[in-house]
Each structure stands twice: as structure tokens, then as C-alpha cells.
Amino acid sequence: MRAQSGPAYPQAIIDLLEKAGDRPCFEHGGRVVTAEETLATMRRLAAAMREAGIGPGTGVAMLPGISPEGFAAMFAAYALGARVSAVRPGLTAGQFTHLLAGGVDAIVIGPTSGGLDLLPAAGGIPRYSLGSHPGATDLLAGGGPDRDRSDEPLVAGGRPDDIARITYTSGSTGQPKGCAITYRALAADWTCAPDRWTPAMAELAGGLDRCLLFGTLSSPVVMNYVLLCLFHGGVAVIPEEYPQPFFPAVVQRYAITGTIMTVPRLYQMLDVLREHPVDVSSLRSVMVSGSTLNPRRLAAATRRLGPAVFQAYGQSEAGSLTLLTPDDLRRHGETALSSVGRPHPEAEVSVRDEDDRPLPAGTTGEIYVRTPWQTSGYWGDPQQTAEVYVDGWVRTRDLGHLDAEGFLHLTGRTRDIVIVNAMVYYAGPIEQVLALHPDVDQAYVVGVPDKRTGEAVHALVRPAAGRTPPREQLAALVRDTLGDGSVPGIITYIPEVIVAPSGKPDKRAMLARYAAPGATA
């Protein structure tokens, strides 16, 4: 495991901006923002935050949105050694209150931030903004004597073992869990260290000359790709508005060379391109992450977009873990197509049985991981921390196996189960088998109450364009592959996949919207 060495986080980002000078770093709508302008804003915000009492150990809830100023605010807080709780879109008022109870001393609101309807839950916690927001002090406005020191050196002051960032999970099993990462761990991440990039990482970064950004900088994944783009020497492109559906048109309009997207977004992009072709030949690095990718759709994406499609696997708890490259797909064919790539050189992956014993290649078990940049636990939740963080390893709760070539294959979640007649059946394998049918685009499985069996397998199936797979064929496919117990008792055809604010498919939302009585296998 690599310990923190050299300057504290985020000194590498500060140094990069210092050296880059007048190089463009951001395009936000119609304006270009250079490295020196970004650094000047960062220094100004750091001075204003310091005046407001923000420093080492201060809890800051950050609603950064996605803008150059939001980027500068995040790193100003890090430079001061604060503990930043990144507020993602889609939180309920109750979840936001839960976040604030974790020790928040100030709230910072970005210029393009969503979630402003949550602010009444903040009570008397001081609020600061990067523009004009009612009830908030504008950090960029004139003020005290330190406010104009935008040309003075900014030095990272984070203490290595202090918590730097708390990233909250989706809360799909209850209240969101706060994954806490130290300044030491952030400094160990490979993203900001080009000298540690492997050829595969350099290939990925090399396609980010013009990196399309969307969503929110509260996402560590989005932020990592901003940094990867900037350390490569590229420009982060943030369009002010997106056409609906936006991807292909934006790629052509802004000559985008790289971006990151979730699996549902990739599927949407391929569907749109099939009906409304536009020129996306500028793309060289398209990173797909967030959930498993159907091998058939991955192959289709490679045919349509060329050798530009990468896939990654990671978790909020452990960061980036694996990388699948276009070269992997070319060299290893079907083996690579069904995988999420090989582990990063500094990431350790161990597949274990129920008794915590390592399993040989090709054998499915729970995936344990260990990285220098992993989080240290769940903020304020020692019980959950003890369950997931075991002897320096992180239990991912994912099921899978490593093959003889070192590729990691995912097969489901340990808790994504359906209990039929007291027998446990994993949703992941059923979903994968259903997706093998040529008339199926995507498939999702949930457990629903059943008077006879306790629970029943309910499959939510999105048919391929212009097709309707017969239910009896889907049932037979599952029966022949996995046995009678895995056969869906209910199959519902869905017109579209509902995506949660995290970017992942929301099974329960799809069940609530589309499930209809009588749609049985």
C-alpha cells in the first residue's frame, strides 16, 4: 500500500494550475476559463472561507453544481483542510437533515447548484454562495482585508489523517451512508499522478482533449475525470444547455473527444444514434461505469463508436478498481466483453467464500478489495464500518470471479437476492441470462411478496427495438440455465429504464411505475 508522500492534497492540483498559466481549462457555455483564472478564484475563495472560520476539521456541506467556480470552491475548501460533505442531487429533506447531523458547520452553494429546496432544513447553519442566493453570504463579493489576495501563494494545509471528503451513497437500503476519505488517501490516488499512469491509463487520459462534463462535481467520479482531463492538458467542456436527448448532438456541436457516462446513458446514446445519426467520430475516450454492461451492447457500442469505449468498476467505498480498454476488447474478444477489465496495478482484488477464504480463478465469491485511495469507513457509523472494512480490506458486497487472464467478471450483489420457498436466488445471474435473449435489450430482477412462496422473482424486461420476446421463451431460457427456482414468476415489459439520481437503474421505481397484475410467465 502506498503511503502519502510529497506535498499534501490538493497541492498537486494547485501546482498544475500555477504552471499551466493561460492555458484554457474550462469552457462553460460561451466563456473560456484559464488555469490562472481558476487558481485566482480558488485563492480568493480560500481567503473568504478562512475569514468565515473554515479551516482544518471544519465541516462544510458543498452543493457545487458543475461550473469552474464550483470546482474552485471544492479545492479551496480542501486547501484549507476542511471536511467536505459533497451533496448529491436527489436527496430528500430527511436525508439532507441526516447529512447535516454528521457535523456540518457551513454550507457552500455553487452557481449552478440544484437542491436549493433542501436549504430550509439547514436551520441556523451559516450559508455561503458563489453568487447571489437569498440568505447566503456571497464568497466572491467584496469584503474583508484578505478577500483580494488572489495573487498570493495557496498552500495545501490538509492534515494527512483528517477526513477530507464524505461521499454519501444512494441510500437504497435506508439512510445514505457517508464514505469518509482522508487527505492521505486522496493524495495517494493515481488520477493526479501522471508519472504513475500505466499505458492503459495514459490511453484513457489521452482521449480527454475536450472532455464533456455534466451532472455534479459532488460525484467523485465526475471530479476524477475533470482532474484526469486537466492533468492530461485537456479542456473540461460544460455546455449551458443540453438538447434532449443530448449526447450525440452535444458531441458533434462541441467536437467532444471524451466523456464519462453511466450504462443507461450509453444505451440511450446508442438508441438515439440508430434513429438520428450524427457525427460522433471525434470521440476517443468514452468511459462507461456505474453498473454492469451487457456484452452484446458493449460490442454494439464498439462497432458504432469505434475503439473509444472504456469500462470501469469501482465503489464509493474503494474508488476506482478496474479498467477495460479498447485494446483488451480487440485482443481478448468474448473474455473481455463479459468483464469489467483488469484491476489497477495498485488495487488488490481477492475473491472469497462465505468463510472469508480466497477462491481460485474461475470460482465465484464475494469480492474484497484494497487500495491506497480507499475510504476509511462510514462517517458516524462504527457498526457498518466494522461489517464492511475488514482487516484493511473493503467488502464490496459484489459477487464475481477473476479469470485466468486476470479479468474481473461481476455476477451480482450479495444482498440483491430473492428468497423463494426459503431458498436464496441472486438477481444478477437471472438478469444476465434474460439479457442473453436476442429480443431483450435490458433486464432487471426484484423480489416481490408472494403468499405461497414468501417472495417471487419479478423480471422487468426492456425489449430490443421493435421486438417482444415471448414470456415462455424467457422462462425456458432461465429454467434451462439456472433451474426452476430462478424462473421469474412475473415478467413485466417496460418501455424505458428509470434511472436514479446516482445514474444507476432504479429497480423499485420501475416496479412501482410499470408493474401490472396478471403479467405472469
Side-chain angles (χ1 to χ4, degrees):
M1 303 289 287
R2 180 186 292 266
Q4 177 173 310
S5 60
Y9 189 85
Q11 193 62 46
I13 292 97
I14 296 170
D15 293 345
L16 171 72
L17 296 173
E18 181 77 48
K19 294 173 184 177
D22 62 357
R23 192 194 91 197
C25 283
F26 293 94
E27 289 183 15
H28 186 204
R31 64 189 178 116
V32 175
V33 182
T34 66
E36 59 189 3
E37 290 170 336
T38 303
L39 183 57
T41 301
M42 193 184 304
R43 288 169 171 160
R44 188 176 181 186
L45 287 171
M49 289 180 185
R50 190 181 295 111
E51 286 182 22
I54 294 173
T58 305
V60 179
M62 186 78 67
L63 290 76
I66 189 157
S67 69
E69 291 74 21
F71 175 90
M74 292 280 283
F75 283 97
Y78 288 140
L80 296 176
R83 183 181 65 251
V84 176
S85 293
V87 181
R88 62 173 177 80
L91 287 182
T92 66
Q95 290 171 334
F96 186 59
T97 300
H98 172 74
L99 180 154
L100 296 176
V104 170
D105 305 299
I107 298 172
V108 175
I109 308 161
T112 60
S113 176
L116 299 181
D117 57 321
L118 299 176
L119 292 179
I125 297 175
R127 306 173 195 177
Y128 303 93
S129 67
L130 310 181
S132 178
H133 285 283
T137 300
D138 186 353
L139 291 173
L140 291 172
D146 291 337
R147 198 64 65 90
D148 292 330
R149 296 180 181 176
S150 59
D151 58 347
E152 291 190 0
L154 181 62
V155 178
R159 299 175 298 209
D161 295 320
D162 278 1
I163 298 301
R165 183 183 71 214
I166 302 176
T167 301
Y168 284 85
T169 63
S170 62
S172 57
T173 59
Q175 288 287 12
K177 298 188 292 292
C179 302
I181 189 168
T182 64
Y183 277 93
R184 184 187 306 278
L186 282 179
D189 196 300
W190 61 271
T191 307
C192 300
D195 60 322
R196 288 163 46 208
W197 293 355
T198 65
M201 297 171 185
E203 180 187 0
L204 171 63
L208 301 179
D209 291 337
R210 294 181 57 77
C211 180
L212 174 65
L213 298 180
F214 56 92
T216 174
L217 294 175
S218 64
S219 163
V221 179
V222 173
M223 183 63 85
N224 276 352
Y225 277 83
V226 177
L227 296 175
L228 199 62
C229 166
L230 296 183
F231 274 91
H232 161 64
V235 177
V237 181
I238 309 170
E240 286 185 325
E241 295 182 359
Y242 296 108
Q244 293 294 329
F246 56 79
F247 258 115
V250 169
V251 169
Q252 181 176 1
R253 181 180 306 168
Y254 293 93
I256 297 300
T257 63
T259 190
I260 180 171
M261 65 181 81
T262 61
V263 170
R265 197 85 68 179
L266 174 68
Y267 292 163
Q268 179 195 51
M269 180 180 186
L270 295 177
D271 291 344
V272 171
L273 286 174
R274 186 172 54 248
E275 299 296 328
H276 307 284
V278 296
D279 183 6
V280 293
S281 61
S282 59
L283 289 172
R284 301 201 309 276
S285 289
V286 177
M287 171 54 71
V288 186
S289 66
S291 54
T292 54
L293 178 54
N294 183 318
R296 188 170 68 246
R297 295 305 295 269
L298 175 55
T302 300
R303 289 192 300 269
R304 180 62 182 83
L305 303 179
V309 182
F310 295 75
Q311 189 177 11
Y313 164 62
Q315 288 199 328
S316 298
E317 290 83 351
S320 181
L321 298 169
T322 71
L323 181 63
L324 180 68
T325 70
D327 187 60
D328 291 330
L329 297 174
R330 181 178 63 83
R331 290 175 177 270
H332 298 277
E334 293 296 327
T335 297
L337 273 174
S338 62
S339 80
V340 290
R342 292 188 173 103
H344 288 292
E346 297 176 67
E348 299 175 73
V349 174
S350 175
V351 180
R352 304 184 184 182
D353 65 15
E354 294 180 353
D355 296 317
D356 199 25
R357 295 174 300 194
L359 294 168
T363 305
T364 296
E366 183 177 351
I367 299 167
Y368 285 60
V369 298
R370 183 164 62 183
T371 75
W373 51 81
Q374 70 190 32
T375 58
S376 56
Y378 296 119
W379 182 253
D381 195 339
Q383 180 178 346
Q384 284 281 343
T385 297
E387 291 179 10
V388 173
Y389 297 80
V390 181
D391 298 327
W393 294 81
V394 177
R395 294 184 61 185
T396 68
R397 308 296 179 95
D398 285 334
L399 298 171
H401 70 271
L402 287 162
D403 65 25
E405 299 294 327
F407 290 98
L408 181 63
H409 302 257
L410 302 181
T411 55
R413 294 279 291 166
T414 59
R415 291 186 173 182
D416 196 1
I417 59 175
V418 185
I419 302 176
V420 182
N421 288 321
M423 297 294 292
V424 173
Y425 297 92
Y426 290 101
I430 303 173
E431 293 170 349
Q432 292 176 2
V433 169
L434 289 168
L436 293 174
H437 194 286
D439 294 342
V440 172
D441 176 47
Q442 299 173 64
Y444 302 96
V445 164
V446 294
V448 295
D450 186 272
K451 292 181 180 179
R452 295 180 299 106
T453 60
E455 282 190 322
V457 177
H458 190 142
L460 302 159
V461 174
R462 184 177 188 267
R467 304 177 185 176
T468 303
R471 287 189 171 89
E472 59 272 17
Q473 288 186 13
L474 298 178
L477 181 61
V478 174
R479 182 178 295 109
D480 293 345
T481 307
L482 300 175
D484 286 335
S486 297
V487 175
I490 307 170
I491 296 176
T492 298
Y493 297 124
I494 61 175
E496 62 180 354
V497 174
I498 299 175
V499 179
S502 64
K504 297 180 180 181
D506 191 331
K507 296 184 185 183
R508 290 294 167 183
M510 287 186 276
L511 183 70
R513 181 177 298 181
Y514 298 124
T520 59

